[in-house]
């Protein structure tokens, strides 16, 4: 589930508040959004791929919270990793057109 | 009950909108429906519980598509391929138009700029879509076409006019606060299936809301016994992507191989083993680096949990579980009366997972492929038909709101978290829902009936609490329809597996139609004669 918002890099654009299907975040006046309902997170990673500055981190486990910190995620170099892999980061745009389903042996 | 009988301008709703067609749900089916309705000349409003473009199973998961060129031989193979697996409950009079409409629509998607990959000859390959990319594009197309989108605005109940036709819906705005009513001459239910908040990828918003609203209006459902779909996922993750497990072998804790276990026909062996001990997987069968790279480029999301846990799934064993997909990867849903995707209720249409997919899949489907094609095609059919209906309809006043469970006046308190757990305990266990028997199904039906009685008389809660209460009511109703149908089908067919009736019974090659909320009726409905006789199986 959603673990971390890096409030240093977050630009308060509130796109995560908008795209989260289960309404996990709350927008705050003059500041970054907060994780208001962590238990409702369905671990779909949508907030992460939509975040334009890679400030969010979703742990793969939908059932447990691990209390991760910004430092933990930075050290593991995981901020933005999924967004890059689907070609939604500027430097990986060529990957948008890469979908090897048709190359999988049938 | 004046507050249940809204009249315009009574200030009961903080947002009132009048339109021709209301689409409930902003996944693929809802988006295709909205686009087709607006191009047929209708004014269209689309409401989503979450956000149109990122909500639903498709946006986070991605999907293959049943996209088959209009070549007679390829079409014949495509149609014949799943008839036996589906228990001969599909019909070619449906498959032909669905394949045609999917072909046409996916080609439009390419024309709109969806970045399909190309093969070595430079030919675009349009058999699959990446979820985030596909749904972001669809959301934008819908918005740019002039559809009014209300995000984070779940529909909670339908409303009816004095002719008995559906005349819109009401719901809440969970971010802005307040509630809404959309008065519409036609409503398309595209709110998805029901996965019972199992944390299957992107599926927690799919709680059967559309079934409940439609059933309260008198609509029927079909194929609800085909609701025992479970997806393989790492036990520590939500990623219910099963396609790549065909390169996996499955092991016990001590490292011994589980013979016959597999992602397709061997899934029941995984399920049986999980009843008594943990199961581990390893992608042993992907032997070359070239294949491993292809797998990564085919499904980037499959690898998220492994990359984040520092596990190499090709060389290390990892624990897996089966997560219930319910009717999302099952085939049951609202019964359609014809290719216009109308239900039996005037003015009410259904598309995508909200409708039964038996017409093209019978009693078996999987993630994507057929379901993706079904969402595209039925979305288009329903959008066009609903627009035509709406533009011809004479306006008549809204008379009655149809929501019952959760709306009781003499409100009785109900712990929705406890109720949710009770439903999940009835539908998650493999020895109840995957391996079905009369004894276990009857036991759970009685528990669910008791829970339903309490839900029916609940109410008096705030807007936000009402959403969860309605979701739990929808899941409870869905579970009851599933198990009533499962009890009535005393055979094994499609994904429906009765341990006490392990054979397919030729006398039961029919659909099962369920209807009603307090009392649930089940009746058989004949299907078109198959081209291949069942006896030949």
């Amino acid at each position: 589930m959603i673990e971390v918002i890096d409030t240093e890099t977050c630009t308060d654009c509130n796109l995560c508040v908008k795209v989260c299907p289960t309404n996990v975040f709350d927008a705050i006046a003059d500041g970054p959004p907060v994780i208001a309902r962590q238990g409702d997170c369905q671990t779909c990673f949508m907030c992460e791929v939509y975040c334009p500055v890679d400030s969010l981190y979703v742990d793969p486990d939908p059932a447990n919270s691990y209390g991760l910190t910004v430092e933990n995620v930075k050290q593991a170099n995981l901020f933005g990793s999924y967004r890059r892999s689907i070609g939604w980061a500027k430097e990986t745009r060529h990957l948008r057109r890469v979908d090897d389903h048709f190359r999988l042996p049938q | 009950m004046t507050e249940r009988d809204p009249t315009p301008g009574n200030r009961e709703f903080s947002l009132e909108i009048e339109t021709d067609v209301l689409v409930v749900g902003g996944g693929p089916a809802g988006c295709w429906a909205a686009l087709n309705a607006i191009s047929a000349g209708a004014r269209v409003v689309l409401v989503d519980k979450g956000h149109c473009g990122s909500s639903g199973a498709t946006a986070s998961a991605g999907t293959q598509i049943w996209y088959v060129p209009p070549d007679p031989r390829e079409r014949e193979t495509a149609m014949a391929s799943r008839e036996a697996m589906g228990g001969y409950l599909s019909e070619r009079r449906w498959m032909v138009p669905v394949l045609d409409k999917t072909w046409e629509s996916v080609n439009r998607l390419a024309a709109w700029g969806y970045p399909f990959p190309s093969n070595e000859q430079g030919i675009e390959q349009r058999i699959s879509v990446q979820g985030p990319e596909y749904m972001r594009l669809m959301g934008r197309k819908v918005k740019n076409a002039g559809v009014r989108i209300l995000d984070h605005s779940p529909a909670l109940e339908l409303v009816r006019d004095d002719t008995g036709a559906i005349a819109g819906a009401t719901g809440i705005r969970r971010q802005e606060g307040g509630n809404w009513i959309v008065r519409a001459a036609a409503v398309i239910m595209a709110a998805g299936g029901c996965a019972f908040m199992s944390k299957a990828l992107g599926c927690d918003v799919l709680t059967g809301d559309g079934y409940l609203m439609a059933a309260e209006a008198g609509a029927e459902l079909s194929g609800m016994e085909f609701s025992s779909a479970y997806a393989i996922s790492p036990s520590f993750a939500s990623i219910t992507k099963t396609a790549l497990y065909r390169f996996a072998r499955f092991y016990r804790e001590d490292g011994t191989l589980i013979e016959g276990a597999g992602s397709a026909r061997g899934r029941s062996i995984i399920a049986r083993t999980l009843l008594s001990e943990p199961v581990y997987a390893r992608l042993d069968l992907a032997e070359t680096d070239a294949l491993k790279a292809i797998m990564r480029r085919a499904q980037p999301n499959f690898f998220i949990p492994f990359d984040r846990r520092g596990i190499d799934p090709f060389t290390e064993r990892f624990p897996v579980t089966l997560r219930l997909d319910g009717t999302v990867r099952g085939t049951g849903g609202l019964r359609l009366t014809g290719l216009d995707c109308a239900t039996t209720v005037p003015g009410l249409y259904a598309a995508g997972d909200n409708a039964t997919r038996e017409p093209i899949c019978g009693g078996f489907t999987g993630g994507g492929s057929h379901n993706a094609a079904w969402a595209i095609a039925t979305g288009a059919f329903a959008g066009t038909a609903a627009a035509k209906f709406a533009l011809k309809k004479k306006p008549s006043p809204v008379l009655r709101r149809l929501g019952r469970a959760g709306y009781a006046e003499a409100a009785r308190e109900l712990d929705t978290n406890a109720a949710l757990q009770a439903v999940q305990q009835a539908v998650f266990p493999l020895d109840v829902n995957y391996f079905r028997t009369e004894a276990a199904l009857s036991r759970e039906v009685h528990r669910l009936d008791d829970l339903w009685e309490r839900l029916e008389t609940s109410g008096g809660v705030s807007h936000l609490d009402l959403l969860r209460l309605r979701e739990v009511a929808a899941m409870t109703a869905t579970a009851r329809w599933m198990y009533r149908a499962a009890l009535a089908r005393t055979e094994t067919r499609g994904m429906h597996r009765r341990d006490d009736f392990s054979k397919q019974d030729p006398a039961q090659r029919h659909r099962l139609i369920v209807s009603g909320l307090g009392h649930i009726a089940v009746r058989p409905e004949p299907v078109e004669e198959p081209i291949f006789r069942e006896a030949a199986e």
Side-chain angles (χ1 to χ4, degrees):
Chain A
M1 58 180 79
I2 178 76
E3 284 275 350
V4 167
I5 296 183
D6 184 347
T7 52
E8 291 293 311
T9 53
C10 174
T11 61
D12 311 354
C13 76
N14 287 321
L15 202 49
C16 54
V17 181
K18 193 172 143 187
V19 301
C20 173
T22 57
N23 200 31
V24 162
F25 304 94
D26 272 346
I28 299 293
D30 304 322
V34 293
I35 301 167
R37 288 163 293 274
Q38 189 184 28
D40 286 348
C41 174
Q42 60 173 352
T43 315
C44 69
F45 305 95
M46 285 294 104
C47 58
E48 237 195 79
V49 291
Y50 271 89
C51 179
V53 290
D54 298 330
S55 298
L56 297 164
Y57 179 72
V58 179
D59 183 85
D61 189 341
N64 301 294
S65 166
Y66 295 88
L68 298 181
T69 64
V70 170
E71 281 314 308
N72 296 147
V73 181
K74 267 188 187 160
Q75 274 165 19
N77 198 24
L78 288 170
F79 276 119
S81 53
Y82 180 37
R83 189 166 80 99
R84 286 192 292 278
S85 76
I86 63 166
W88 278 20
K90 206 156 205 150
E91 68 275 17
T92 62
R93 282 182 69 82
H94 63 284
L95 291 177
R96 285 178 68 216
R97 208 169 270 281
V98 174
D99 178 345
D100 272 1
H101 267 103
F102 72 95
R103 291 199 171 92
L104 284 169
Q106 290 310 306
Chain B
M1 284 190 36
T2 48
E3 82 279 11
R4 306 291 304 141
D5 303 327
T7 46
N10 70 353
R11 296 191 191 172
E12 188 194 340
F13 294 94
S14 52
L15 177 65
E16 293 196 29
I17 302 173
E18 205 191 300
T19 191
D20 297 317
V21 175
L22 170 65
V23 179
V24 178
C31 287
W32 285 104
L35 287 171
N36 280 270
I38 205 164
S39 49
R43 296 170 299 163
V44 183
V45 173
L46 183 151
V47 295
D48 196 297
K49 189 194 280 186
H51 172 257
C52 174
S54 58
S55 272
T58 300
S60 45
T63 173
Q64 301 197 42
I65 301 178
W66 201 36
Y67 173 83
V68 184
D71 165 79
R73 254 193 304 176
E74 285 196 54
R75 286 280 170 97
E76 171 59 35
T77 310
M79 289 192 286
S81 69
R82 293 241 198 133
E83 281 175 331
M85 238 167 146
Y88 300 97
L89 295 177
S90 51
E91 293 172 289
R92 295 204 171 193
R93 68 189 172 93
W94 271 92
M95 291 189 218
V96 171
V98 165
L99 281 166
D100 283 343
K101 185 53 81 175
T102 302
W103 174 259
E104 175 200 316
S105 304
V106 172
N107 292 343
R108 285 175 74 192
L109 194 60
W112 294 337
Y114 180 88
F116 285 107
S118 298
N119 68 5
E120 287 71 12
Q121 288 79 44
I123 299 164
E124 273 196 5
Q125 303 296 304
R126 298 174 182 171
I127 58 159
S128 80
V129 284
Q130 297 294 337
E133 191 76 43
Y134 172 38
M135 289 315 299
R136 182 174 67 172
L137 175 59
M138 291 304 292
R140 282 180 185 165
K141 289 303 284 186
V142 169
K143 194 176 170 196
N144 293 341
V147 173
R148 181 164 179 191
I149 299 173
L150 301 181
D151 284 328
H152 294 288
S153 301
L156 295 183
E157 61 169 344
L158 291 169
V159 298
R160 196 164 71 187
D161 69 15
D162 58 357
T163 70
I166 293 306
T170 83
I172 60 161
R173 311 207 77 191
R174 65 179 186 181
Q175 291 191 340
E176 288 87 345
N179 54 359
W180 56 262
I181 183 165
V182 175
R183 298 169 206 283
V187 173
I188 300 170
M189 276 296 166
C194 182
F196 299 96
M197 295 189 156
S198 68
K199 303 285 182 194
L201 188 60
C203 289
D204 272 17
V205 291
L206 308 171
T207 48
D209 312 356
Y211 303 152
L212 175 64
M213 286 185 265
E216 284 171 334
E220 299 174 314
L221 298 103
S222 179
M224 293 307 284
E225 68 276 31
F226 305 119
S227 46
S228 49
Y230 287 79
I232 306 171
S233 107
S235 60
F236 55 87
S238 59
I239 303 286
T240 42
K241 304 283 291 179
T242 51
L244 298 186
Y245 286 102
R246 72 185 137 105
F247 302 105
R249 281 192 289 204
F250 296 86
Y251 299 89
R252 293 186 189 83
E253 187 144 35
D254 64 10
T256 55
L257 184 71
I258 303 170
E259 288 292 341
S263 67
R265 291 186 186 275
R267 202 171 299 184
S268 60
I269 296 173
I270 298 174
R272 287 259 189 237
T273 312
L274 277 169
L275 286 173
S276 57
E277 57 183 310
V279 172
Y280 295 79
R282 187 169 58 202
L283 303 173
D284 295 341
L285 306 175
E287 287 174 342
T288 65
D289 287 346
L291 176 55
K292 290 174 190 174
I294 287 171
M295 288 164 71
R296 260 188 190 277
R297 289 192 299 258
Q299 295 196 347
N301 51 7
F302 179 84
F303 292 92
I304 299 173
F306 307 116
D307 293 346
R308 291 181 180 197
R309 284 284 183 276
I311 294 168
D312 179 352
F314 297 106
T315 60
E316 292 173 70
R317 292 186 298 133
F318 54 92
V320 293
T321 189
L322 290 175
R323 262 181 221 289
L324 182 63
D325 275 325
T327 62
V328 175
R329 277 182 169 124
T331 68
L334 292 172
R335 174 175 170 255
L336 304 178
T337 57
L339 279 169
D340 60 355
C341 299
T343 67
T344 45
V345 180
L348 184 63
Y349 298 77
D353 289 355
N354 215 149
T356 178
R357 283 135 284 165
E358 292 162 292
I360 61 161
C361 306
F364 180 89
T365 171
S369 187
H370 288 60
N371 288 14
W374 181 252
I376 293 168
T378 56
F381 298 151
T384 307
K388 200 172 150 194
F389 176 92
L391 293 173
K392 269 203 251 168
K393 191 173 179 249
K394 289 197 193 93
S396 39
V398 170
L399 275 190
R400 188 173 291 274
R401 295 167 62 178
L402 299 173
R404 289 292 171 266
Y407 287 100
E409 276 183 83
R412 270 208 272 162
E413 273 200 36
L414 187 123
D415 179 342
T416 47
N417 283 330
L420 171 61
Q421 278 173 21
V423 180
Q424 291 178 332
Q425 280 161 17
V427 292
F428 284 176
L430 296 163
D431 52 2
V432 179
N433 196 6
Y434 196 111
F435 304 108
R436 294 169 165 181
T437 59
E438 158 110 38
L441 292 170
S442 307
R443 185 189 69 218
E444 296 306 327
V445 158
H446 288 307
R447 284 187 195 164
L448 290 162
D449 285 350
D450 289 344
L451 177 58
W452 178 256
E453 275 179 35
R454 286 188 288 134
L455 282 158
E456 254 191 328
T457 53
S458 66
V461 298
S462 73
H463 286 152
L464 277 175
D465 291 341
L466 182 58
L467 169 60
R468 181 50 56 92
L469 188 52
R470 290 288 285 171
E471 288 177 330
V472 173
M475 288 185 272
T476 307
T478 303
R480 292 172 68 233
W481 291 317
M482 278 165 51
Y483 284 177
R484 288 279 175 209
L487 279 164
R489 192 174 283 286
T490 50
E491 62 161 353
T492 290
R493 185 184 294 268
M495 69 174 62
H496 167 69
R497 174 191 294 265
R498 282 287 296 262
D499 270 4
D500 44 357
F501 295 96
S502 59
K503 293 257 166 13
Q504 188 162 297
D505 170 14
Q508 295 187 56
R509 197 186 74 80
H510 48 233
R511 305 250 173 86
L512 287 176
I513 312 300
V514 299
S515 57
L517 286 154
H519 170 74
I520 293 170
V522 186
R523 66 176 173 87
E525 179 183 58
V527 285
E528 182 183 281
E529 270 305 301
I531 288 173
F532 302 102
R533 310 272 323 161
E534 185 166 23
E537 197 191 344

